[in-house]
Amino acid sequence: MCREEEGSGLRPMDAEQLREEAHKMVDFIADYYKSIETFPVLSQVQPGYLGKLLPDSAPNHPEPLQHILNDVQEKILPGVTHWQSPNYFAYFPSNSSIAGFLGEMLSAGLNIVGFSWITSPAATELETIVLDWLAKALNLPHDFYSTGLGGGVIQGTASEAAVVVLLAARDKILRSVGRTALPKLVTYASDQAHSALKKACQIGGLNPELCRLLKTDSSTNYALSPDVLSEAISNDIASGLIPFFLCATVGTTSSTAVDPLPAFGKIAKTNNIWFHVDAAYAGSAIICPEYRHHIDGVEEADSFNMNAHKWFLTNFDCSVLWVKDRSALIQSLSTNPEYLKNKASQGNMVIDYKDWQIPLGRRFRSLKLWMVMRLYGLEGLRSHIRSHIGLAAYFEELVGQDTRFKIVAPRTFSLVCFRLLPPPDSEDHGNKLNHDLLDSVNSTGSVFITHTVLSDEYILRFAVGAPLTEKRHVDGAWQILQDKATALLGSL
C-alpha cells in the first residue's frame, strides 16, 4: 500500500513524492496527446454540466492522485475544447509544444516570483537576453533592444500589452498638456483592431467616445486607409481634441489584414502620437524573411507586441512587448514601497520588471521561451510556421475549386476567410446559411471553426496552426464542410 493510500496524502513538497506523482502526471498528459483526435474538438456539454458530476464541498481527507486523474478523464475532459487537436481551426492557434511544456514545468518547479531583480536575478536577466534574441530574429530596430533606451518584457496577453503602453502614452502626453486634458485624449485604430484596445481605454479612464475605430472595407482588404486616419486626426485637432495614441494591426483577428505601417509611422510622428503595433498573431511569421516586409515601417513605432503563445510553440501565457523608451513605461507603472527597496534597485543597476506591467508578481516565463528557441532553433520555428501557411494555401486551393464557395479576403498568413454562396434570391445575403453551416460542422465534433462579419456578411474562418495538424486533417475538414454544404443547399 503506497503512502497516499494509507491516508497520509501528499506532503506540501517532498522530492521523492514529486518524482513518483509527476511521472504519473506526465504519463497521463502523454496519453492525452496520443488520443487527442478521439475527442470532439469543440466540447459538446451543456452549461452547468460539471456541477451535476462533482460533490458540493471539498473532501476532508486526502484522495489518491489516480482517483483525481480518473475524474479528469471522465468528467473534466468532456468539458474541454481541445485547442491542441489537429482538427482545431478556430480563432487563432494557441501552441503547445514539448519544449514549451518542459519550460512551463521547470518554471512551476522553481516557482519563483520574479517581480524585481533581487527576487531572482536569473529570471530578470534571462528575460532581457531572450527578448533581445527574439528582437534580432524578427529584425526589429535596435531601439527596441535592452542595450539602448528600450527593451522587451513578457506580458500575460496582448490585451495587457495594450493597457500598459496606452497608460504610458496617456501619462506621457498629460505631463506636457496637463492632467485636466484627460477627457480630450483621442485613440485611433481600425474597426478591425482587437477589442482589447477599447477595454484598455476603459481601464485608462479615457472618454470611450474618443476611441476612434475607423471604418475599413474590401477596397483596402480591410486595412485602415492612411487618408481616413489623417482626416480623422485633422478633424479632431480642429475640434480642440488631442490625438495621442495610434494602434496599427499586423494580422487582424477577422481576416489578418495588415495596416500600412510606413504611412502610419509618418502620420504619428507628424502629430506626436504614440504608435503601437499589435502583431499578436502574425508576429511569429516575421521570423521568416519572406514575411518580414509586413512590419516594414516598425522603425517609427514606439511599441511592438506579438504573442509567442499563439504560433511560436510557447505554451500560454507569453505575450512579448518591446518599447523604444522604457522610462515611459516605468514612469507610468512604477511603485517603490519601503519593503521592496534594495541596493541593486536603488542604485539603478538593474531592471525591475514589476515597473513594466500591471501586477507586482510575475512568473519565470522566459524559461519556456528560452527552451523553445534552443530546443527547436530558429530554423525549426520557421519550418513550423511555413508548414501551416502551406496547409492554409492548400485549403484555399480546395475552396477555390468548389464554385459553391467564395474566398472573401486575401490569405496573407494561415487564415482562410470564405463563405458558402447563397441562392440568388437570398434575403440576408446568405448570412443564415453560413451560420447554419458553421453550427452543422461544429456539432459533428470532428472539426472546430469560427466566424466573423466583414462588410455585413457572415464569414467562416479556417485558421491552420495546431502543432499536430497535417494535410489529412485539412482534407477531412474540407470533406465535412462540403458534405454539410450539400445537405443545407439541398434543403432550401
Side-chain angles (χ1 to χ4, degrees):
M1 188 177 287
C2 77
R3 284 174 300 226
E4 237 180 290
E5 289 169 349
E6 288 170 355
S8 61
L10 293 178
R11 289 183 281 283
M13 184 50 70
D14 174 274
E16 290 311 313
Q17 281 191 329
L18 174 65
R19 190 189 312 280
E20 184 180 337
E21 302 304 315
H23 272 102
K24 294 176 190 173
M25 184 60 78
V26 169
D27 284 344
F28 181 86
I29 294 168
D31 288 343
Y32 165 72
Y33 274 97
K34 280 181 80 171
S35 62
I36 196 168
E37 287 189 60
T38 66
F39 296 101
V41 190
L42 175 63
S43 173
Q44 304 293 306
V45 302
Q46 296 302 308
Y49 91 99
L50 194 56
K52 299 169 186 171
L53 300 178
L54 296 182
D56 59 8
S57 59
N60 284 320
H61 302 289
E63 297 183 42
L65 176 61
Q66 191 55 53
H67 289 190
I68 298 167
L69 292 179
N70 291 344
D71 276 350
V72 172
Q73 188 73 40
E74 295 164 17
K75 300 168 184 175
I76 302 299
L77 289 184
V80 167
T81 290
H82 300 275
W83 283 66
Q84 306 309 315
S85 168
N87 295 305
Y88 181 97
F89 302 103
Y91 306 112
F92 280 133
S94 182
N95 280 183
S96 181
S97 70
I98 295 171
F101 175 77
L102 293 175
E104 194 72 82
M105 184 189 290
L106 183 55
S107 177
L110 298 177
N111 200 33
I112 63 99
V113 185
F115 48 81
S116 57
W117 179 87
I118 199 170
T119 61
S120 273
T124 295
E125 296 192 13
L126 184 64
E127 186 160 335
T128 303
I129 290 165
V130 169
L131 297 195
D132 279 348
W133 282 9
L134 187 50
K136 286 178 186 174
L138 295 165
N139 196 17
L140 292 181
H142 286 278
D143 291 346
F144 287 120
Y145 294 15
S146 66
T147 47
L149 299 176
V153 56
I154 298 175
Q155 305 285 339
T157 64
S159 302
E160 290 172 48
V163 170
V164 298
V165 293
L166 186 105
L167 295 179
R170 178 200 68 181
D171 292 349
K172 185 177 181 182
I173 194 77
L174 292 179
R175 281 193 291 273
S176 65
V177 299
R179 296 203 69 83
T180 56
L182 179 64
K184 295 182 178 181
L185 300 186
V186 192
T187 303
Y188 303 89
S190 88
D191 59 0
Q192 301 297 306
H194 197 277
S195 60
L197 182 63
K198 203 166 182 183
K199 183 180 278 193
C201 289
Q202 290 172 231
I203 293 169
L206 298 161
N207 183 344
E209 293 177 10
L210 299 184
C211 182
R212 307 277 193 231
L213 301 179
L214 303 172
K215 190 167 175 54
T216 60
D217 58 39
S218 59
S219 68
T220 57
N221 295 325
Y222 300 99
L224 178 57
S225 158
D227 292 340
V228 171
L229 174 62
S230 289
E231 185 182 355
I233 291 172
S234 296
N235 290 342
D236 284 333
I237 291 172
S239 300
L241 300 173
I242 305 171
F244 88 106
F245 190 85
L246 167 62
C247 177
T249 308
V250 177
T252 57
T253 303
S254 285
S255 66
T256 62
V258 177
D259 287 331
L261 304 193
F264 280 21
K266 287 176 186 170
I267 294 168
K269 195 171 186 179
T270 301
N271 293 283
N272 192 31
I273 296 173
W274 183 294
F275 181 26
H276 176 60
V277 176
D278 174 4
Y281 158 70
S284 297
I286 305 305
I287 65 163
C288 303
E290 65 270 30
Y291 293 101
R292 173 58 177 76
H293 67 277
H294 289 297
I295 64 164
D296 285 352
V298 72
E299 57 274 7
E300 293 297 341
D302 295 282
S303 48
F304 178 86
N305 171 236
M306 65 160 279
N307 284 350
H309 61 240
K310 271 195 168 70
W311 202 12
F312 207 71
L313 291 174
T314 307
N315 292 38
F316 187 84
D317 56 350
C318 188
S319 183
V320 184
L321 171 68
W322 289 271
V323 292
K324 272 187 180 171
D325 177 14
R326 57 178 174 263
S327 70
L329 272 190
I330 294 166
Q331 286 181 70
S332 189
L333 302 171
S334 176
T335 55
N336 193 28
E338 186 63 37
Y339 49 81
L340 295 183
K341 290 179 180 176
N342 62 85
K343 185 177 177 182
S345 297
Q346 299 307 107
N348 291 319
M349 296 182 282
V350 295
I351 287 174
D352 286 335
Y353 279 124
K354 70 179 179 63
D355 299 328
W356 297 43
Q357 62 175 24
I358 301 297
L360 172 65
R362 61 197 330 267
R363 297 185 297 118
F364 199 167
R365 285 180 292 215
S366 56
L367 273 174
K368 57 188 172 187
L369 186 54
W370 184 54
M371 292 184 75
V372 163
M373 294 179 79
R374 292 188 65 187
L375 285 167
Y376 298 122
L378 292 177
E379 278 306 315
L381 290 162
R382 290 181 185 118
S383 174
H384 168 72
I385 299 289
R386 287 168 177 149
S387 70
H388 288 151
I389 292 173
L391 288 174
Y394 171 65
F395 180 79
E396 181 184 41
E397 218 175 276
L398 294 176
V399 175
Q401 291 166 3
D402 190 329
T403 55
R404 301 175 302 170
F405 290 86
K406 177 178 88 168
I407 299 291
V408 176
R411 181 198 52 77
T412 309
F413 303 102
S414 69
L415 173 71
V416 180
C417 294
F418 67 107
R419 74 193 311 254
L420 181 60
L421 293 170
D425 58 351
S426 171
E427 291 181 6
D428 69 346
H429 306 291
N431 287 349
K432 183 179 184 301
L433 176 66
N434 280 277
H435 183 281
D436 290 347
L437 177 57
L438 182 84
D439 282 351
S440 183
V441 166
N442 287 342
S443 66
T444 66
S446 300
V447 65
F448 181 30
I449 59 174
T450 47
H451 80 283
T452 191
V453 173
L454 292 170
S455 300
D456 299 321
E457 290 190 337
Y458 192 98
I459 307 299
L460 305 184
R461 298 170 72 263
F462 189 89
V464 182
L468 294 169
T469 300
E470 299 172 2
K471 181 173 174 286
R472 65 185 175 91
H473 301 108
V474 174
D475 284 330
W478 177 234
Q479 187 63 57
I480 292 168
L481 276 157
Q482 286 186 304
D483 290 348
K484 295 299 183 183
T486 298
L488 281 170
L489 292 172
S491 67
L492 293 178

